[in-house]
């Protein structure tokens, strides 16, 4: 071993693989051609490996060195089973959660086991012996961490060291280093591109740096940091989030100073002065005094920031469109451009925006398997187990492109559309075999398809707790049945293409290791499947442009482009918030010698420092996300504050230039959106408020008494319902809406009065028992049942007392009747909630209301339902009681509290109401009269069922209406 470690660096912004290749070629000058073959280069990522090979080839003909990955140093001669270990750990965690349920839900067992596996693997990778667990002192921590450590100790005693990737790699490197101690390699070995952030890579770098022919090449080495700053990196708690911290720790281990790190080549950074600005901005806090002291040495800030653009968008959508415009312009100009961001949502938005110009970027990141078509299908089908399948879930699953993919999807989609309408109209919240049989009975050709769907429901039934192997078998059978389709064979598109093959591999591995999974409930199996699918990535091949790229932050070290866009520069995204560790807190990690959460922030800072050194850079962030204002990334914040604070170096002008260049792209984005949404001048005029006037033959000749108020307030709704014969489509997922509440709260008093007629002693508990029974039958939502039951309890005593004090006999309940009005010829239809006959022989009409009772003013103008029912009673429309005088009519409130409101049914008011009704009906039986939209609605802000049909928004409710003749004239 040598006593002088050889460590080299490359500045931020250089093309690392190209510069590395250039340095290798330069050092091999004068050597025989075959000597290059003996050079061994160890890199940290496959992308660097490929790019280095390409760079060497571009430099001319010749032999290539051996280029290996650090991970290749693990021969993996012993088969390992990480999934098996994680499943076994999950069983132990599941037992812990059953014993101590306050630690978390049972469904979190596998994700907690995953975290525990990673922790134990990290301990092996960092060279931390399991004995350190016994020495950890958590007496000053909360009880949670005490219990956590106690459990980890038990697991460590039972399982021993976890043979994960990091542990195996460290063992392989340790053996390699031991062999080198005995027999140093006789050929050059170069470790390039790694920061030594992980224990195995740090161990390798320390050993290679001291080999006789060993060398390290560090990416993004900041040679501008003063010696005092390097010496300040002594406490990981305060310094690990700095981009150069890992290099400082490496140099401390090797016993060298930063000044001893030499340049690998004579390649200069694209903008050395900009690198110095960024270096000063990222110095460890507190830094303000250093900014004031060292800032003037930076000189005029305008030249180094001329190639910097700052986009501060108002929303994520605007940010994505602005970035897409930058990338599109680069493609037009023949330049290469790359978006670097850890925000996959932003990457997808930019990809979607670029699709408008048929530009498909080369996206280096794969898609999580759970978000691929097979992954989504498997997650949806898993949702059928362990619970009643909702109509929404069933239709969503059957609409998936993989469903029924083994045979013709045309008839499938037709039957599916008809089933959706059937379920909507009949409000089947949870489709059953019986509801599917009813659906199939209407058309014989549906029978085979409905049987296929019924079989799917049958396959999803079963015990709620099973072995993992049984869950896999049942789930695979269900998924393949759904993919095959009615009369189909095989599994259709389920296991095809890269994503399908990856999904099949996951199921095969789960089935192979299922013996270690134990018994679990559906929720635990579903959580396990989600975690496994989310942990796998699949890259689906598409024909993309090689010069327009989207990279993750790590790719910034391995690649270069003419224009680099750093997107998503907001705190919580770049850098991402440290992932919570349920097993070890920050102090416990430090005491155990493990990596701190700030390590990831430091690595992200290093990626940022490298990327911002590119020739032309666009910095981008959204000022606001979907929920609130965002906080700029701490590095962007530091950079802008530093530039703005150096007035003597023209910092304000430099920052203004960066913002102005960013505003150019924001203005283009706004104009682009405006072009899509703008209204041509000749169409910008306000349209009239419609009042369609159909011919007399098309106008309604009958209406319920409840719709007479609608005819007065919003005639257009009557036109849509009775002339166009339209009605709103019910939601696919039935909800506990006002209509259902009205049904329930009408049935309860009806059932109660049947058992406790007026005048008999009341019973509140009997009323509530009836309410519970009715709610159980009508309302499948438990939370809603409890809420409505509580509301009924507030009104129960008032209703029971009121009914007890009545001296009448109920004669008509929810029975429809019809009254013919000769002039104009029209039928009035009524269905009263309740009509009693009192001891005086007069009728009493009651209408139950679940909402607010109509005021006197509303009754005088519009709410004439009870008065119209009184007219029908006195004219003999109800055969059960014949024509009888009406003594009283009341609205009975069963909403927040019991209430009453009496309607005026005096002979004088009835006569006046009859005259008003005849005039109203005659008015709308005039072919020249239009059905005006929103004529006198109670709440203009409320969106009615048919307002979209009336093109609301193109007119105002205060605009005059315009009668529009519609339909073929009579005759």
């Amino acid at each position: 071993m040598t006593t002088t470690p050889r460590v080299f660096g490359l500045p931020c912004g250089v093309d690392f693989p190209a510069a590395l290749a250039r340095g290798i070629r330069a050092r091999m000058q004068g050597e025989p051609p075959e000597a290059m073959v003996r050079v061994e280069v160890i890199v940290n990522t496959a992308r660097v490996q490929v790019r280095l090979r390409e760079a060497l080839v571009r430099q001319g003909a010749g032999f290539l060195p051996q280029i290996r990955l650090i991970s290749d140093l693990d021969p993996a001669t012993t088969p390992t089973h990480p999934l098996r270990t994680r499943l076994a750990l999950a069983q132990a965690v599941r037992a812990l959660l059953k014993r101590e349920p306050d630690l978390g839900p049972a469904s979190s067992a596998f994700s907690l086991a995953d975290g525990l596996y990673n922790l134990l693997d990290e301990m092996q990778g960092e060279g931390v012996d399991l004995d350190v667990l016994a020495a950890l002192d958590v007496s000053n921590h909360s009880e949670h961490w005490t219990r956590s450590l106690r459990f980890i100790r038990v697991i460590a005693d039972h399982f021993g060291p976890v043979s994960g990737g990091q542990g195996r790699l460290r063992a392989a490197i340790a053996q390699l280093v031991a062999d080198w101690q005995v027999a140093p390699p006789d050929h050059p070995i170069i470790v390039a591109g790694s920061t030594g952030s992980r224990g195995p890579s740090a161990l390798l770098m320390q050993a290679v740096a001291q080999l006789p022919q060993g060398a390290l090449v560090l990416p993004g080495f900041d040679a501008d940091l003063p010696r005092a700053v390097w010496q300040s990196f002594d406490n990981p708690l305060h310094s690990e989030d700095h981009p150069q911290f890992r290099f400082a720790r490496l140099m401390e281990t090797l016993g060298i100073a930063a000044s001893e790190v030499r340049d690998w080549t004579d390649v200069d950074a694209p903008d050395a002065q900009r690198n110095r600005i960024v270096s000063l901005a990222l110095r460890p806090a507190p830094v303000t005094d250093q900014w004031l002291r060292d800032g003037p040495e930076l000189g005029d800030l305008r030249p180094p920031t001329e190639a910097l653009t700052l986009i501060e968008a108002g929303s994520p959508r605007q940010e994505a469109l602005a970035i897409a415009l930058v990338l599109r312009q680069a493609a037009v100009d023949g330049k290469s451009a790359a978006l670097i961001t850890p925000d996959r949502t932003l990457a997808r938005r930019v990809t979607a925006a670029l699709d408008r110009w048929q530009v498909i970027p080369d996206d280096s990141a794969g898609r999580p398997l759970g978000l691929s078509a097979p992954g989504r299908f498997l997650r949806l089908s898993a949702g059928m187990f362990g619970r009643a399948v909702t109509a929404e879930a069933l239709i969503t699953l059957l609409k998936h492109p993989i469903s029924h993919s083994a045979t013709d999807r045309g008839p499938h989609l037709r039957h599916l559309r008809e089933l959706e309408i059937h379920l909507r109209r009949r409000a089947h919240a949870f489709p059953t075999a019986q509801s599917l049989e009813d659906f199939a009975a209407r058309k014989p050709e549906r029978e085979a398809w409905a049987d296929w769907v019924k079989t799917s429901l049958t396959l999803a039934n079963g015990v709620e707790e099973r072995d993992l192997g049984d869950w896999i078998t049942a789930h695979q059978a269900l998924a393949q049945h759904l993919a095959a389709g009615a009369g189909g064979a095989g599994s259709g598109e389920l296991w095809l293409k890269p994503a399908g093959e990856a999904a099949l591999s996951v199921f095969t591995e789960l089935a192979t290791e299922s013996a270690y999974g134990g018994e679990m409930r559906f929720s635990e199996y579903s959580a396990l499947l989600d975690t496994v699918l989310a942990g796998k990535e699949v890259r689906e091949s598409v024909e993309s442009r090689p010069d327009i790229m989207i990279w993750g932050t790590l790719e910034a070290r391995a690649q270069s482009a003419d224009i680099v866009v750093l997107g998503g520069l907001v705190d919580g995204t770049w850098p991402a918030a440290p992932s919570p560790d349920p097993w070890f807190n920050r102090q416990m990690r430090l005491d155990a010698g493990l990596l701190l959460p700030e390590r990831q922030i430091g690595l992200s800072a290093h990626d940022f420092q490298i990327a911002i050194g590119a020739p032309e850079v666009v910095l981008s962030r959204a000022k606001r996300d979907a929920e609130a204002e965002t906080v700029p990334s701490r590095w962007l914040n530091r950079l802008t504050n530093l530039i703005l604070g150096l007035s003597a170096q023209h910092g304000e002008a430099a920052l203004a230039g960066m913002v102005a260049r960013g505003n150019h792209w924001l203005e283009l984005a706004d104009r682009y959106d405006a072009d899509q949404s703008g209204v041509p001048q000749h169409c910008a005029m306000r349209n009239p408020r419609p009042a369609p006037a159909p011919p007399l033959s098309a106008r309604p000749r009958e209406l319920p008494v409840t719709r007479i108020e609608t005819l007065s307030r919003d005639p257009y709704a009557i036109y849509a319902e009775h002339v166009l014969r339209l009605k709103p489509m019910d939601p696919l997922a039935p909800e506990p809406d006002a209509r259902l509440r009205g049904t329930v709260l009408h049935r309860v008093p009806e059932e109660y009065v049947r058992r406790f007629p007026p005048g008999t002693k009341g019973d509140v508990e009997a009323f509530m028992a009836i309410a519970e029974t009715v709610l159980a039958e009508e309302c499948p939502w438990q939370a809603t049942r409890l809420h409505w039951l509580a509301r009924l309890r507030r009104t129960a005593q008032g209703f029971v007392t009121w009914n007890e004090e009545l001296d009448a006999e109920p004669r008509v309940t929810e029975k429809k009747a019809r009254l013919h009005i000769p002039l104009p010829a029209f039928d009035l239809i009524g269905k009263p909630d309740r009509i009693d006959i009192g001891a005086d022989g007069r009728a009493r009409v009651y209408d139950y209301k679940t909402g607010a009772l109509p005021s006197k003013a509303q009754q005088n103008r519009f709410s004439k339902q009870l008065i119209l029912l009184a007219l029908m009673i006195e004219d003999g429309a109800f055969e059960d009681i014949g024509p009888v005088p009406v003594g009283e009519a009341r609205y009975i409130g069963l909403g927040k509290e019991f209430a009453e409101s009496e309607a005026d049914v005096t002979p004088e008011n009835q006569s006046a109401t009859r005259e008003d009704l005849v005039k109203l009906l005659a008015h709308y039986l005039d072919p020249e009269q239009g059905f005006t939209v929103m004529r006198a609605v109670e709440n203009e802000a409320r969106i009615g069922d048919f307002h979209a049909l009336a093109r609301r928004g193109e007119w105002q409710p205060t605009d005059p209406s315009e009668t529009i003749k519609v339909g073929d004239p009579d005759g």
Side-chain angles (χ1 to χ4, degrees), residues 428-559:
H428 288 304
F430 303 97
T432 61
Q434 183 59 52
S435 60
L436 289 169
E437 290 174 4
D438 295 341
F439 166 73
R442 295 175 174 270
K443 290 184 180 180
E445 62 268 23
R446 297 174 177 170
E447 186 173 346
W449 186 85
D451 287 343
W452 167 70
V453 179
K454 281 194 299 181
T455 304
S456 302
L457 295 178
T458 303
L459 289 173
N461 291 331
V463 294
E464 292 188 4
E465 190 163 350
R466 315 181 193 182
D467 286 333
L468 176 58
D470 293 338
W471 278 118
I472 294 296
T473 301
H475 189 189
Q476 201 161 353
L478 173 61
Q480 293 183 167
H481 172 76
L482 287 165
S491 55
E493 300 284 335
L494 179 56
W495 309 123
L496 302 181
K497 300 180 181 179
E501 293 168 0
L504 180 59
S505 174
V506 166
F507 267 66
T508 302
E509 186 180 9
L510 280 171
T512 302
E513 308 295 349
S514 59
Y516 298 88
E519 287 194 348
M520 60 184 69
R521 298 179 64 83
F522 155 73
S523 58
E524 298 169 71
Y525 168 72
S526 180
L528 183 153
L529 182 67
D530 287 347
T531 303
V532 173
L533 292 177
K536 301 282 185 180
E537 285 201 348
V538 60
R539 200 168 177 209
E540 297 159 315
S541 57
V542 293
E543 188 175 346
S544 59
R545 289 188 62 119
D547 56 343
I548 303 298
M549 299 153 284
I550 297 179
W551 300 333
T553 55
L554 186 60
E555 278 83 358
R557 306 181 198 172
Q559 304 191 86

Side-chain angles (χ1 to χ4, degrees), residues 291-373:
W291 288 0
L292 296 174
R293 184 192 66 208
D294 299 341
E297 299 176 5
L298 296 174
D300 190 345
L301 298 182
R302 289 173 295 183
T305 59
E306 282 181 353
L308 285 181
T309 298
L310 177 57
I311 293 176
E312 294 186 297
S315 67
R317 170 186 168 83
Q318 188 186 32
E319 180 189 16
L321 184 52
I323 292 173
L325 287 165
V326 172
L327 300 180
R328 175 186 176 275
Q329 188 60 47
V332 171
D333 295 340
K335 296 180 179 180
S336 62
L339 165 64
I340 300 176
T341 181
D343 186 350
R344 292 305 305 162
T345 301
L346 174 62
R348 286 192 288 270
R349 283 194 178 111
V350 172
T351 301
L354 286 171
D355 188 56
R356 304 176 185 183
W357 304 290
Q358 289 77 51
V359 175
I360 302 175
D362 180 11
D363 193 344
S364 68
R367 183 190 304 187
L369 182 56
L371 296 182
S372 67

